[in-house]
Amino acid sequence: QKRENIRSLTMSGHVGFESLPDQLVNRSIQQGFCFNILCVGETGIGKSTLIDTLFNTNFEDHESSHFCPHVRLKAQTYELQESNVRLKLTIVNTVGFGDQINKEESYQPIVDYIDAQFEAYLQEELKIKRSLFNYHDSRVHACLYFISPTGHSLKTLDLLAMKSLDSKVNIIPVIAKADAISKTELQKFKIKLMSELVSNGVQIYQFPTDDETVAKINASMNGHLPFAVVGSMDEVKVGNKLVKARQYPWGVVQVENENHCDFVKLREMLICTNMEDLREQTHTRHYELYRRCKLEEMGFADVGPENKPLSLQETYEAKRHEIYGERQRKEDEMKQMFVQRVKEKEAILKEAERELQAKFEHLKRVHQEERMKLEEKRRLLEEEIISFSKKKATSEIYQNQTFMGSNLKKDKDRKNSNFM
């Protein structure tokens, strides 16, 4: 694309657009600001205490147990006001992080949560009737990753988690409870951590140095990463004034004393100097990466096969034809599958019918044979009955003849006795 030739003109009088920065400031103050912080760290490492100390208030977060079966993310939103500036602050805490044996089960819910916030913003952006003006942006702007003050090296879980999160969120590593190790050990620990992050390709958030007003301080602070912090809302009297500190038998660790810890540096970099850059990086870098990958997965592209620009309408039409063709192909496959299944079912039914017919013929033959056997038995029985009847009749005739013969003999004997 050829760049247009832009002419510079000199105005002959006052116009008034020099007030645009003031208009922008007034509008921003009227709308208010939002900032979302994700705190990742093991249970009991001091996440809630540090957040309370950063914003100088008690957020009343309840203590979590070490026996959570799964990692869950708890988001709480608060309305804060300083002078005439309103801030909608969302704190997302990881409950049960590091308590699981399976490392993936610890960091995957965090990745899913960040992606879910990107997806919600993308869906709002893709609506026909959008309301981004008053949309509550829940995308995570900064991730404070709390590292245990072991003094040795990063844990495997920390490396895996940060490697999975560095392309999705601005990671600011902090060494929690930094008063647990000496200054010499702490400095060596910082160098070791940064070396491990670089060697493993983990991209943490670097404070921007392109703005002349903050370039020097940001470049200096990049050399202090990761920040070694101590958090406390307890006030201890030091000299003639009360300061936030931690009281130990051997002495006092002052939270806001830069000789004791990097808490002031963290607060300055996170809230006072680079909060807007964190919000901008989230939108222009991390969200844009998610949006581009998501739209490419959906089939959208800026250029066609011949590197020609594609309009949204052309991409939509091409995608519609592709989906229609895919649907038609699946419909044909389903029809063929249905016909095939019907044929297979018909074959099974025909085979079952043949089996039933064969069984019926067999039973019919068996029945016929049994019937013939019964008929033969019946015929034999009838012959036996006839033979028995004949024998019975002959026997009766014989008995009658015998009986009559005996009677005649008696009569003859009786007559002879009368004559004598």
Side-chain angles (χ1 to χ4, degrees):
Q1 242 183 6
K2 292 182 180 180
R3 296 186 62 183
E4 296 180 359
N5 293 324
I6 301 174
R7 293 193 304 162
S8 297
L9 299 177
T10 303
M11 296 182 300
S12 58
H14 180 264
V15 177
F17 58 78
E18 65 179 6
S19 66
L20 274 174
D22 297 329
Q23 295 176 33
L24 184 61
V25 168
N26 293 333
R27 183 179 178 185
S28 298
I29 290 175
Q30 184 180 2
Q31 290 178 357
F33 299 88
C34 77
F35 191 64
N36 307 319
I37 301 177
L38 170 65
C39 298
V40 181
E42 298 174 4
T43 307
I45 204 169
K47 301 186 293 293
S48 302
T49 304
L50 182 66
I51 292 295
D52 288 350
T53 315
L54 275 173
F55 292 94
N56 198 21
T57 186
N58 288 309
F59 291 106
E60 298 179 357
D61 193 13
H62 300 290
E63 292 183 2
S64 302
S65 169
H66 278 279
F67 303 100
C68 297
H70 304 288
V71 175
R72 60 184 180 89
L73 282 87
K74 184 172 65 174
Q76 291 180 308
T77 304
Y78 306 93
E79 291 277 358
L80 304 179
Q81 184 162 350
E82 189 175 39
S83 298
N84 62 336
V85 178
R86 290 180 293 107
L87 177 67
K88 184 179 284 186
L89 177 68
T90 300
I91 300 167
V92 185
N93 204 349
T94 52
V95 180
F97 181 78
D99 293 339
Q100 289 73 35
I101 296 175
N102 189 340
K103 300 291 188 293
E104 188 174 354
E105 290 182 0
S106 290
Y107 66 82
Q108 191 58 44
I110 304 173
V111 175
D112 295 340
Y113 176 84
I114 295 172
D115 284 343
Q117 311 318 307
F118 283 154
E119 182 64 25
Y121 192 89
L122 178 61
Q123 291 302 321
E124 183 65 31
E125 202 175 45
L126 293 176
K127 285 182 180 179
I128 296 174
K129 191 175 181 180
R130 302 183 298 179
S131 58
L132 292 173
F133 176 77
N134 57 357
Y135 176 77
H136 175 53
D137 188 3
S138 59
R139 296 173 297 178
V140 178
H141 300 122
C143 170
L144 293 179
Y145 197 96
F146 290 73
I147 300 169
S148 298
T150 60
H152 298 290
S153 61
L154 280 170
K155 297 180 181 178
T156 305
L157 174 60
D158 296 331
L159 281 174
L160 288 172
M162 283 195 273
K163 188 66 177 173
S164 301
L165 295 173
D166 63 356
S167 63
K168 298 177 180 294
V169 69
N170 302 309
I171 299 177
I172 302 175
V174 295
I175 301 172
K177 298 183 177 180
D179 52 344
I181 54 177
S182 67
K183 279 192 174 182
T184 307
E185 291 174 330
L186 186 59
Q187 194 59 33
K188 291 179 181 178
F189 189 37
K190 281 188 175 186
I191 296 171
K192 179 72 173 175
L193 292 182
M194 291 305 294
S195 174
E196 287 184 345
L197 292 175
V198 171
S199 62
N200 287 278
V202 178
Q203 299 292 326
I204 63 172
Y205 175 73
Q206 293 289 315
F207 303 117
T209 56
D210 51 354
D211 186 355
E212 294 179 359
T213 57
V214 294
K216 188 176 180 180
I217 183 68
N218 279 351
S220 173
M221 290 302 169
N222 282 330
H224 285 86
L225 288 172
F227 293 130
V229 296
V230 176
S232 176
M233 290 298 289
D234 299 333
E235 292 187 338
V236 177
K237 191 171 184 180
V238 177
N240 295 323
K241 61 179 182 179
L242 291 173
V243 295
K244 288 185 175 64
R246 299 187 74 88
Q247 179 79 56
Y248 293 102
W250 47 262
V252 176
V253 177
Q254 298 178 32
V255 172
E256 295 180 341
N257 188 334
E258 293 193 48
N259 293 322
H260 291 186
C261 68
D262 297 332
F263 173 79
V264 174
K265 294 183 178 68
L266 173 64
R267 185 173 61 187
E268 180 75 19
M269 290 294 98
L270 180 67
I271 300 173
C272 304
T273 308
N274 298 300
M275 181 182 281
E276 185 56 34
D277 184 72
L278 286 163
R279 286 157 38 91
E280 185 180 344
Q281 286 290 320
T282 299
H283 183 76
T284 59
R285 181 184 166 196
H286 301 298
Y287 170 69
E288 282 300 319
L289 176 62
Y290 176 85
R291 178 179 174 275
R292 177 166 60 83
C293 294
K294 198 70 176 178
L295 292 179
E296 285 176 354
E297 286 178 8
M298 294 167 64
F300 292 97
D302 294 331
V303 293
E306 300 176 357
N307 290 329
K308 292 182 179 179
L310 278 178
S311 67
L312 183 64
Q313 181 67 24
E314 290 173 339
T315 306
Y316 170 76
E317 288 295 332
K319 195 67 179 175
R320 190 172 71 87
H321 286 302
E322 181 185 345
I323 293 173
Y324 178 77
E326 184 70 16
R327 189 186 68 178
Q328 192 68 32
R329 184 181 65 79
K330 287 185 178 180
E331 187 176 342
D332 294 339
E333 286 181 359
M334 289 179 67
K335 284 181 179 179
Q336 292 176 3
M337 191 181 296
F338 177 74
V339 171
Q340 183 67 24
R341 287 185 178 179
V342 168
K343 288 181 180 178
E344 290 175 357
K345 198 69 176 177
E346 284 181 351
I348 293 171
L349 290 173
K350 285 181 180 179
E351 182 65 25
E353 186 178 356
R354 282 196 295 270
E355 290 178 359
L356 286 173
Q357 186 66 28
K359 189 180 288 187
F360 174 72
E361 293 295 334
H362 174 70
L363 290 174
K364 190 176 179 182
R365 285 196 301 271
V366 171
H367 175 70
Q368 190 70 21
E369 291 174 359
E370 292 291 334
R371 186 177 176 184
M372 290 174 66
K373 288 180 182 178
L374 288 173
E375 290 291 335
E376 181 65 21
K377 287 182 179 180
R378 183 185 174 199
R379 186 181 62 77
L380 292 173
L381 184 61
E382 288 178 350
E383 289 179 356
E384 288 180 1
I385 291 172
I386 292 171
S387 175
F388 178 75
S389 299
K390 289 180 179 179
K391 287 179 180 180
K392 183 180 178 183
T394 305
S395 176
E396 287 178 353
I397 293 171
Y398 178 76
Q399 286 179 357
N400 288 334
Q401 288 178 351
T402 305
F403 180 72
M404 290 179 66
S406 61
N407 286 338
L408 288 173
K409 187 177 180 181
K410 286 180 182 179
D411 290 342
K412 189 177 180 180
D413 291 338
R414 201 168 35 248
K415 286 180 181 179
N416 290 332
S417 60
N418 289 333
F419 287 125
M420 293 179 63

